[in-house]
Amino acid sequence: MAVLLMLLLCGLALWVWGSGALWFQGPAHPTIRWALVGIWTAWMIGSLIAYWTSRRPAMLMACWFLSFVALLVWWQQIKPSDTRNWAADVGEHVEVQAVKGPGQLVKLNNVRNFRWRSDEDFDARWEQRSYDLSRLERVDVALSYWMGPAIAHTLVSFGFSDGQHLVYSIEIRKERGEQFDALAGFFKQYEMVLVAADERDILGVRTNVRGETVHLYQVNMPQQAMRELFMAYAHQADELIEQPRFYNTLTANCTTIVWQLARSIGAQLPMDWRMMASGYLPSYLKGFGVLAPQATLESLEQAGNITERAKAWVPPAGSSDSKASVDFSKAIRLGMPPLN
């Protein structure tokens, strides 16, 4: 009985993975894809039946194993690309142009600073910016809720004493006209991109254009750790330029990559189910004592909800673009408790 149960579970797992691989990476025509999934399904079911009715089950299992290996070999030939017709907002990689001094002044190319009127109507701007890491004074985790309380997109914002804020965001690199499908994200459907953006752009588009709910949580970190995390993101950007990588809904997503980067600089953060259900990430952070200790999680969630403040904000009359961005960052943090 135990052998039968194991075979059934293994067969189910192989059928699910093989069907997904054939559907999402098979020929473009849906009829052909349906046919391939049907053939794979018939083969899996037929093999299991034949195993129990044949006098030579070992041969059947060998054929089953070889068919899986053939599918796996084909799967390994599917490589990520850097040269597709990308959507405008993920069309550029952020690049580290230069680092001057002992890790002090960092110059970045392709910092996104779009002005959004709708998802289809915007002014695309990719800028070169410089950041003095000696003036880095805060790190905030932003969670943008777009599909219920358990699912949120994770972003990390770095704040400087001159009022500048830079947000890093691991995102799928959509092609033009492509929409995100969490199931497709398991099957090499999307490449990964690291976006570096102005807060007024990347947070504002989520609250004001896409109708998402965004929460900010300031994280208690020593400045040296902040600087190391900033540069870990910069190095991740370089790696993605040199070697494109697939996004994976489970293992390489907007939250697990942040966790990996934090671990790379020495943070003792165990893996947790809230890496997958990222909407509950604040309780994970609160449990490690890195959020404001004097405030409850509920009060932090309420004070950190920037959605209405972002919607209500208007640029000060006559202010430059850079000053308006600084003002936006100040406005959305009104009411957030200090760390100490």
Side-chain angles (χ1 to χ4, degrees), residues 127-165:
E127 301 177 348
Q128 182 184 88
R129 292 190 177 186
S130 296
Y131 298 94
D132 185 348
L133 297 189
S134 68
R135 304 183 71 178
L136 182 56
E137 64 179 15
R138 69 181 289 160
V139 170
D140 297 273
V141 171
L143 294 172
S144 187
Y145 292 82
W146 55 277
M147 194 176 71
I151 305 299
H153 181 70
T154 305
L155 312 91
V156 177
S157 178
F158 294 84
F160 297 81
S161 59
D162 60 359
Q164 287 192 91
H165 285 80

Side-chain angles (χ1 to χ4, degrees), residues 17 20 98-99 103 107 157 162 170 212 237 239 257 261 310 327 330:
W17 179 80
V99 179
K107 291 187 178 180
S157 178
D162 60 359
I170 292 287
E212 299 177 13
E239 290 177 10
I257 297 298
L261 292 175
D327 187 77
K330 288 180 180 178

Side-chain angles (χ1 to χ4, degrees), residues 223-263:
Q223 196 204 44
Q224 182 60 32
M226 297 182 197
R227 293 163 65 174
E228 290 175 0
L229 184 59
F230 186 99
M231 291 308 300
Y233 268 107
H235 295 320
Q236 179 69 70
D238 287 339
E239 290 177 10
L240 288 173
I241 293 172
E242 294 175 7
Q243 179 58 60
R245 181 178 176 186
F246 282 117
Y247 174 95
N248 185 282
T249 300
L250 182 63
T251 62
N253 58 50
C254 62
T255 306
T256 58
I257 297 298
V258 175
W259 175 79
Q260 291 167 14
L261 292 175
R263 296 265 296 183

Side-chain angles (χ1 to χ4, degrees), residues 300-315:
L300 289 173
E301 290 174 345
Q302 183 176 6
N305 187 342
I306 70 166
T307 310
E308 295 305 318
R309 296 195 290 266
K311 290 179 178 179
W313 178 84
V314 292

